[in-house]
Amino acid sequence: MNKTFKFTALAFAVAASANVAAQEDGKPFDSWLGLHGMYYNTEETKPAPDLMDDGFGFGFEYGWRFDESWAVRGEYTVLDMDYQQVLGSKDSISGHMFGVDALYFLPDDLWYVFGGVKRQLLDENYNLANVGIGKHWDINDDVKLTTEIAAYRDFDDSYYDYSVKVGLAFPFGQSKTSSYSKPAPVVDGDSDNDGVLNSMD
């Protein structure tokens, strides 16, 4: 429980610090809410306590894009994992996975790469590092299709997993131009009809 509390506190601290930095710097940024489905595959020797196989999940994310290239997000997924039935304990196990990622967007948002930390709560708990690549595909101004591939490594036992994720992202608070704007150019002329150009008045 203590490890879970520390991990959750760290996740919220990273997300909050990025959000505060965006507000303080006054940089343009996007926010989005996302829903996703996930295929998750585990290393064959990973126990929970029986040996896990693969499974599916669904979840949501909340992201902040605090400048043109960088963003941070929090993610939560409910997992339903199958067992290999080596020990014959039960057919499957349900659990949760949550964590934070930093995202780097390539020019013109061609792709983004990401890395972060995750916590899995199953019959046994795991702390994971993850890296991946994804893309937000424009459907229209209000909805984007999300596709991602990610790899995971367990901190303690060096298990390697991977996932494929497909979902929808709903952007809001989209990037705007800076609040500073140049003064409107003065059109030269004789607006007061005094025979002298405005620039000479």
Side-chain angles (χ1 to χ4, degrees):
M1 180 62 71
N2 190 34
K3 287 185 178 180
T4 302
F5 176 78
K6 290 180 179 179
F7 188 88
T8 305
L10 175 63
F12 280 106
V14 172
S17 63
N19 197 24
V20 170
Q23 294 176 358
E24 290 179 349
D25 294 342
K27 297 176 182 178
F29 67 96
D30 289 332
S31 297
W32 72 89
L33 282 173
L35 301 173
H36 61 260
M38 177 184 290
Y39 169 75
Y40 194 93
N41 186 275
T42 65
E43 186 170 323
E44 292 182 354
T45 57
K46 184 175 181 177
D50 207 340
L51 299 182
M52 285 194 293
D53 189 4
D54 58 5
F56 295 90
F58 65 91
F60 63 89
E61 65 183 59
Y62 183 28
W64 305 271
R65 185 168 178 174
F66 49 88
D67 69 16
E68 183 178 359
S69 300
W70 289 97
V72 64
R73 71 176 175 195
E75 183 183 81
Y76 173 83
T77 304
V78 177
L79 291 173
D80 187 13
M81 304 297 299
D82 292 331
Y83 277 137
Q84 296 181 36
Q85 292 298 295
V86 174
L87 302 179
S89 58
K90 50 186 176 181
D91 293 335
S92 64
I93 182 175
S94 295
H96 311 273
M97 182 170 69
F98 59 91
V100 293
D101 292 308
L103 292 79
Y104 177 77
F105 288 82
L106 276 64
D108 299 323
D109 285 6
L110 181 63
W111 295 94
Y112 59 84
V113 293
F114 61 91
V117 289
K118 297 292 188 294
R119 173 79 166 168
Q120 284 182 353
L121 304 179
L122 300 166
D123 280 354
E124 295 186 16
N125 301 328
Y126 301 94
N127 296 315
L128 311 168
N130 66 276
V131 294
I133 185 170
K135 183 173 177 61
H136 287 165
W137 306 85
D138 290 332
I139 297 178
N140 55 47
D141 291 340
D142 299 319
V143 182
K144 297 177 182 292
L145 175 67
T146 302
T147 56
E148 288 184 5
I149 298 175
Y152 306 80
R153 182 184 185 276
D154 181 80
F155 286 130
D156 298 321
D157 299 311
S158 300
Y159 296 118
Y160 290 90
D161 304 337
Y162 73 86
S163 69
V164 177
K165 187 171 79 173
V166 177
L168 296 174
F170 305 92
F172 60 94
Q174 295 182 1
S175 298
K176 300 178 181 179
T177 57
S178 172
S179 58
Y180 171 79
S181 58
K182 296 180 180 179
V186 176
V187 178
D188 214 353
D190 185 13
S191 60
D192 55 3
N193 298 316
D194 63 354
V196 180
L197 294 176
N198 292 336
S199 60
M200 301 298 291
D201 281 341

